Amino acid sequence: MAVSDLAQASTARSSAGGGRVEIARFTVLALVAVLSLLPLLAGGFLLYSLSLCFANALAVLSVSMLVRYGGEVSIGHSFFVALGAYAVAIVEHRLGLSIVVSLPLAVLLGAGAGFVFAFPSRRLSGIYLAVATMALALALPEILIGFEKLTGGFEGLYIAQDLIPGVAKSLQHYYVALLVLVLVCLALAHFRKSAQGLALLMAQAQPRAAEAMGITRSWARISIFTLSAALASLAGALTGFASSTVSPNSFTFFSGVFLLVGSVVSLNRLSLPAALVGGAFITLVPTYLAQAGDWVPILYGVALVVVTLGANAGDLRRFLPRGSGR
Amino acid sequence: MPGFFRDILPLLWSGIISGCLYGVGALGLVMVFKSSRVVNFSHGNLACLGAFVVYGFSSGSLLSLSWGSAVALALGIACAVAVMSYVLIAPIVFRSDLASTIATLGIGLILQGAVQLVFGADIVNLDLPVPRFNFSLGAIRVSSYDLTVLAVTLAIVGGLFAIIERTKLGVAFRAVSTNPFACEVCGLNLRSVHLFSWLAGAVLGLVAALLIVPTTFLSSTTVPSFMLQAFTAAVVGGFSSLPGAAVGGILVGIIMNFFSFYVSPEFMNTFLLGVILLTLNFFPNGLLERAIGGRV
């Protein structure tokens, strides 16, 4: 099968890359070690913020994944995050079960919702999807408040059940979020080299060649959005678990935009450090700049514009000598 | 049965009135998209800023000018911001639709923050300076507001189509939206056409915002979320057809009115999401594709 040949070729090339890959791997391992030992030193609020950072880093990864593999922008991923968070809360309230049950359920729900959402725009350019995600982000608060019986309306719901009884709550939140984040990063690294991942990348870069090999563009679009929504929903489940509460306050129109900001700031990379940078940016900035309130959207907006322009700066040279372009 | 008909005519009428404004908002989005292939997510935020400038300069919270000069100032500021936004994304506009679309989101966030910084999270009223009167036309009650909206919409849409159909700039705009590469080969300056469409978009957005605000109120979130209706109208019209956007606006206005009257006023955005998804699935090039063709 040709796609798996491609997979082998790419692994061969990456191992030929030698030293730099080793250094990167070492950095990531050191980062994981530091983060897993951190609770020995720090406590309380820092652990809480870091658990939220991990959960948000996952959500950022889901947006970056969509950009990388699908070449599409979503400002409505807050919908899937909310879906996961409320799944955890509602399962606990209605059925009395902990995240052992609700975490897989959240992933399945996210995948289902992602599929339903991506299906209509399967044949259209990414711009239509972006507009539809805007509607998704604006519809979310309405739905959360409207279905009051299920979602608890304005007040939201509490999540109190432990995963492992007897262990301190803050440690549980921290380690579960960290573990899932590390696992997802490993899975993403594996996905990049798998036949499926390459097929998706090919469908984006060379649609016609991909089509000739039986990978249709619409299939690629739907499957990447489904995967990304499932990941976002997983992130939401962890956000709910880590913050012990869900309410419409944490899912406004802007939370979807902020996820995109996190993704752009991490340069849409899918590695652990990049995800942490993105997650930390959107978690810590509002916490530590709480009194600067209205400056936060400005800061995020400037970050979006500057990083987007910087990342595409190769093109700036075209402006200096006129006529040398194309 | 007669009760049903007594409801339906006023609903249609008010749907058409608000639909005109959605259409005007959508025209701005489509103008920008047709020429520069960018979905301008800062459209609503810019219109909101403009409306707040009119409020600030006419109500006395910043200055107390007359309504007319406040609008002139707001138009100036909106145009200046539109030019600045275009200049910001100009380096990447040919390179990547997606990156420039993300950049417009960033500009939107900056404008949103600016509005909140200067005007706070207040909810204010901003009326139109027109004499108030009503009269009945059968089952329909027509107010001076309705007539103003109709007159302004007709004037501005008529003006826009006259520019696009009759002037050199309009010909250039149509050429660029059909084949930018050929235009560049022929020596047409793409930048000036882009700028024209961004300026037109800013003006259309501001006009729509000023006319919609009297029916609700003005706050830092109402106008940007009003633009969801404009986006829906643009999608219904196919996103690259100007008449489609205008007709799509009126359709969206009417169905939204029916939905909020007969089903629920609380799930408007969810309903619009449904409209967008259904349109994308069944009419990917817009509802009017067959009737008028995709292009102007």
Side-chain angles (χ1 to χ4, degrees):
Chain A
M1 174 100 202
V3 173
S4 58
D5 289 348
L6 274 176
Q8 262 154 27
S10 105
T11 41
R13 200 154 37 121
S14 65
S15 60
R20 275 182 63 189
V21 179
E22 286 305 311
I23 293 172
R25 193 169 289 168
F26 181 75
T27 323
V28 171
L29 279 178
L31 188 64
V32 173
V34 168
L35 286 175
S36 42
L37 293 178
L38 199 66
L40 295 178
L41 301 170
F45 187 66
L46 185 67
L47 279 195
Y48 169 77
S49 329
L50 278 177
S51 336
L52 282 184
C53 278
F54 298 154
N56 275 331
L58 273 173
V60 165
L61 277 179
S62 74
V63 178
S64 303
M65 190 181 174
L66 188 66
V67 176
R68 280 273 146 150
Y69 286 92
E72 297 184 284
V73 183
S74 164
I75 52 176
H77 261 51
S78 52
F79 183 91
F80 304 106
V81 174
L83 189 68
Y86 272 88
V88 172
I90 291 170
V91 164
E92 182 179 319
H93 269 247
R94 296 278 151 144
L95 310 172
L97 297 169
S98 73
I99 61 163
V100 180
V101 177
S102 50
L103 210 61
L105 180 73
V107 175
L108 286 179
L109 278 176
F115 178 82
V116 170
F117 180 77
F119 188 77
S121 54
R122 64 196 175 282
R123 296 213 181 99
L124 296 162
S125 79
I127 275 155
Y128 291 88
L129 189 84
V131 172
T133 59
M134 177 192 174
L136 197 60
L138 282 167
L140 175 64
E142 253 175 31
I143 296 172
L144 292 184
I145 293 164
F147 290 100
E148 203 173 340
K149 288 214 178 92
L150 205 58
T151 62
F154 281 107
E155 292 176 9
L157 297 168
Y158 285 99
I159 298 168
Q161 284 216 1
D162 294 337
L163 182 63
I164 316 150
V167 181
K169 260 194 184 355
S170 59
L171 286 181
Q172 279 193 37
H173 293 165
Y174 183 85
Y175 279 116
V176 170
L178 180 62
L179 180 72
V180 174
L181 177 63
V182 171
L183 286 179
V184 165
C185 285
L186 285 176
L188 281 174
H190 181 73
F191 185 68
R192 171 70 181 74
K193 293 175 189 159
S194 69
Q196 287 76 17
L198 285 174
L200 290 177
L201 286 175
M202 189 176 178
Q204 191 203 343
Q206 299 290 342
R208 296 209 174 156
E211 215 128 299
M213 301 175 75
I215 307 155
T216 60
R217 193 99 208 257
S218 39
W219 173 83
R221 268 174 200 292
I222 295 179
S223 41
I224 190 59
F225 200 91
T226 307
L227 286 175
S228 159
L231 183 53
S233 187
L234 175 67
L238 288 176
T239 314
F241 181 62
S243 60
S244 305
T245 168
V246 288
S247 77
N249 280 339
S250 32
F251 301 107
T252 61
F253 169 63
F254 287 106
S255 35
V257 181
F258 290 168
L259 289 179
L260 182 68
V261 174
S263 164
V264 168
V265 167
S266 64
L267 298 177
N268 311 122
R269 297 252 164 92
L270 296 173
S271 66
L272 181 71
L276 281 174
V277 167
F281 189 71
I282 60 173
T283 318
L284 301 181
V285 167
T287 323
Y288 288 101
L289 292 181
Q291 69 275 45
D294 295 332
W295 284 99
V296 173
I298 297 187
L299 178 69
Y300 279 1
V302 170
L304 259 188
V305 174
V306 168
V307 176
T308 316
L309 284 176
N312 294 281
D315 216 39
L316 286 172
R317 256 170 292 147
R318 186 136 69 90
F319 276 73
L320 302 176
R322 218 185 130 72
S324 67
R326 289 240 165 106
Chain B
M1 218 47 194
F4 177 71
F5 282 109
R6 218 180 313 129
D7 290 336
I8 209 164
L9 279 176
L11 280 177
L12 264 177
W13 173 251
S14 61
I16 290 172
I17 297 297
S18 43
C20 286
L21 300 178
Y22 306 155
V24 172
L27 280 176
L29 288 169
V30 172
M31 291 278 296
V32 168
F33 180 71
K34 268 174 86 78
S35 72
S36 52
R37 314 307 289 177
V38 176
V39 178
N40 183 9
F41 278 111
S42 66
H43 193 56
N45 301 103
L46 177 56
C48 177
L49 178 73
F52 261 108
V53 168
V54 172
Y55 167 77
F57 284 137
S58 67
S59 70
S61 84
L62 295 179
L63 280 175
S64 41
L65 302 172
S66 72
W67 192 82
S69 35
V71 170
L73 248 170
L75 274 176
I77 290 177
C79 289
V81 174
V83 171
M84 282 195 291
S85 336
Y86 181 71
V87 168
L88 258 183
I89 67 160
I92 55 174
V93 78
F94 291 117
R95 171 154 165 151
S96 157
D97 308 344
L98 228 50
S100 4
T101 298
I102 293 179
T104 65
L105 263 173
I107 294 166
L109 278 177
I110 297 172
L111 295 176
Q112 173 82 22
V115 167
Q116 286 174 5
L117 266 184
V118 179
F119 298 97
D122 296 348
I123 292 171
V124 297
N125 281 310
L126 180 64
D127 253 329
L128 291 174
V130 288
R132 286 165 185 279
F133 57 86
N134 293 300
F135 58 90
S136 295
L137 212 78
I140 303 171
R141 279 185 77 77
V142 181
S143 71
S144 55
Y145 168 78
D146 298 346
L147 294 179
T148 320
V149 169
L150 274 183
V152 173
T153 309
L154 284 178
I156 200 156
V157 173
L160 185 68
F161 279 79
I163 292 177
I164 290 173
E165 288 297 322
R166 304 268 171 221
T167 64
K168 256 189 154 167
L169 190 58
V171 175
F173 170 77
R174 280 183 286 157
V176 169
S177 55
T178 317
N179 191 339
F181 183 65
C183 293
E184 209 174 8
V185 172
C186 297
L188 198 65
N189 185 353
L190 296 188
R191 297 290 181 195
S192 59
V193 176
H194 285 186
L195 261 183
F196 158 68
S197 66
W198 279 72
L199 285 175
V203 173
L204 290 166
L206 179 60
V207 169
L210 285 180
L211 288 173
I212 199 78
V213 163
T215 61
T216 54
F217 49 84
L218 178 60
S219 80
S220 59
T221 53
T222 45
V223 178
S225 64
F226 151 71
M227 281 304 164
L228 178 61
Q229 277 93 294
F231 272 103
T232 313
V235 168
V236 168
F239 227 101
S240 51
S241 145
L242 291 174
V247 178
I250 291 175
L251 283 179
V252 169
I254 293 172
I255 53 170
M256 273 182 70
N257 244 359
F258 281 118
F259 179 83
S260 79
F261 188 80
Y262 288 110
V263 187
S264 151
E266 280 150 26
F267 290 102
M268 286 323 291
N269 291 344
T270 319
F271 174 65
L272 288 175
L273 171 67
V275 171
I276 289 180
L277 290 182
L278 287 176
T279 313
L280 289 182
N281 196 29
F282 295 110
F283 305 94
N285 295 314
L287 281 177
L288 309 169
E289 189 197 10
R290 239 164 270 153
I292 54 171
R295 300 189 166 277
V296 182

